[in-house]
Amino acid sequence: MVLTREKKVNKLSATLQNNDMEETYECSVSFCSNPTCTCGIVTLDLVPVQDKDYAGEAEVFSFDIDLYNESLGEDNKNKCRQKDLELARRFIDQMEEDDFFLLYQIYSGYKHKITEESPPDGIDINFVYDEVEEKNLMFAYNDALPYGDTLQVTINGMSCIIFDQYCLKPNCSCTDSYLNIIAVDEQGKNEKELCVISVNYKKEKWEIVESSSADFDLKTLKTAIEQQEQGIYSKLKKRHLRLKAIYAYNKKKHYIPKQESQLPKVGRNDPCPCGSGKKYKKCCFK
């Protein structure tokens, strides 16, 4: 591995091979501060570790890494010096899967922290407002807040994540959530939808809306979720109210309702707007 993390002092260092020599750097990382941005970009600042007798000022090398594509960030060419790019290429060439995983852990931990700590007016999301207002489109908590707390359970030996969806209309007083139960593998991938459950968190009423397997009865699902997600009803309520508050703030900030088109008023003796050439009273007014 290139990177080493000392958890006790929360210190990150990097060791690179340069021909037959090893170079050691103190490493600091920074990220995009938007809680909902999923760019996956991490900025690394590397400072060479010098001998104790070195009296000069340490030089800082800086570049971006794209964690999702496991590559250098696209903006490096525009903002980095040539010497930064040269070091960045050696760095990325020597990185292993464990290095990317370590950086992703730090990245997702930071994103999770700012997501859960940000107030509703600190989160900017472009909701599909017309769909929500006119067609009652529901939103899942983790679709709106991808780095927020995730609901997870094990059902019949299968690891599952729960996408909890809610109505977001500010004036709606419903207390319903729709839980989409998704089975995942050990890496959290290869998703398979198992069922959708309606849960009224106020009345604690459960109902299966649809299911792709007869292996999951309502009692098994309800018991597993209640036991493994302690306080599930208060969690659902809290997530619903938070999502509604975020939606209300963004709606006020961004949403412009559709204006109904208004035709100009036509007098009885005016030309008919249909284009017949007749007066309105002798044509479409009838």
Side-chain angles (χ1 to χ4, degrees):
M1 283 183 66
V2 169
L3 294 168
T4 303
R5 186 180 189 183
E6 299 178 39
K7 291 186 177 180
K8 291 184 179 180
V9 293
N10 197 26
K11 183 178 179 181
L12 196 64
S13 61
T15 303
L16 293 177
Q17 293 291 330
N18 189 2
N19 296 324
D20 295 331
M21 298 179 59
E22 276 192 352
E23 298 173 344
T24 304
Y25 299 84
E26 293 180 357
C27 182
S28 61
V29 293
S30 57
F31 316 100
C32 163
S33 60
N34 182 345
T36 63
C37 177
T38 57
C39 64
I41 298 296
V42 53
T43 299
L44 276 72
D45 292 327
L46 272 61
V47 179
V49 175
Q50 307 288 358
D51 294 332
K52 294 181 180 179
D53 297 333
Y54 181 76
E57 185 176 346
E59 186 172 18
V60 180
F61 298 86
S62 182
F63 53 88
D64 292 344
I65 288 180
D66 183 334
L67 295 179
Y68 292 127
N69 292 314
E70 297 188 356
S71 63
L72 294 177
E74 291 185 0
D75 288 341
N76 282 330
K77 291 181 180 180
N78 298 323
K79 72 177 187 178
C80 293
R81 304 167 302 174
Q82 185 60 36
K83 59 176 68 176
D84 292 326
L85 290 174
E86 291 172 359
L87 181 61
R89 292 187 186 106
R90 282 202 293 123
F91 193 97
I92 201 79
D93 286 344
Q94 296 181 36
M95 286 184 72
E96 301 175 1
E97 285 298 319
D98 288 342
D99 292 306
F100 286 106
F101 182 71
L102 174 58
L103 285 180
Y104 183 77
Q105 281 186 313
I106 300 171
Y107 168 83
S108 59
Y110 168 78
K111 286 286 193 174
H112 173 264
K113 184 175 185 295
I114 62 174
T115 295
E116 294 300 327
E117 292 180 354
S118 293
D121 61 1
I123 298 178
D124 204 310
I125 302 174
N126 189 19
F127 291 96
V128 189
Y129 299 102
D130 288 330
E131 296 289 312
V132 174
E133 297 296 320
E134 299 172 13
K135 299 181 180 179
N136 297 319
L137 177 69
M138 305 182 83
F139 261 81
Y141 187 85
N142 290 112
D143 281 342
L145 303 172
Y147 299 103
D149 288 334
T150 303
L151 301 177
Q152 297 177 310
V153 293
T154 299
I155 303 173
N156 290 348
M158 286 193 295
S159 297
C160 301
I161 57 176
I162 301 174
F163 284 98
D164 45 328
Q165 304 176 61
Y166 305 95
C167 165
L168 301 184
K169 297 179 74 170
N171 295 329
C172 180
S173 60
C174 74
T175 54
D176 296 315
S177 61
Y178 286 81
L179 310 186
N180 195 344
I181 314 296
I182 309 289
V184 295
D185 59 19
E186 293 179 356
Q187 287 75 40
K189 301 179 180 179
N190 297 324
E191 300 177 352
K192 178 185 177 183
E193 183 176 304
L194 301 179
C195 60
V196 178
I197 308 170
S198 170
V199 178
N200 185 305
Y201 53 76
K202 183 177 181 179
K203 298 179 181 179
E204 301 185 8
K205 182 180 178 181
W206 296 62
E207 180 182 349
I208 290 183
V209 177
E210 58 182 78
S211 177
S212 62
S213 173
D215 296 334
F216 300 96
D217 61 274
L218 186 59
K219 183 178 180 181
T220 298
L221 295 166
K222 181 175 181 288
T223 300
I225 294 172
E226 285 181 336
Q227 290 181 349
Q228 297 174 48
E229 281 289 349
Q230 295 290 320
I232 183 62
Y233 301 109
S234 60
K235 283 183 181 179
L236 295 178
K237 178 181 179 180
K238 180 180 178 182
R239 288 158 77 91
H240 189 188
L241 294 178
R242 183 165 191 237
L243 212 50
K244 285 184 71 173
I246 293 170
Y247 176 80
Y249 165 75
N250 282 274
K251 177 186 173 184
K252 184 177 180 181
K253 182 178 179 182
H254 299 297
Y255 181 50
I256 301 176
K258 291 180 179 179
Q259 298 294 326
E260 294 185 7
S261 59
Q262 294 183 351
L263 295 174
K265 189 174 181 180
V266 182
R268 287 169 50 86
N269 293 313
D270 292 335
C272 187
C274 75
S276 67
K278 299 179 182 180
K279 289 185 178 181
Y280 183 46
K281 67 181 180 182
K282 298 256 185 208
C283 191
C284 293
F285 179 72
K286 294 180 180 181

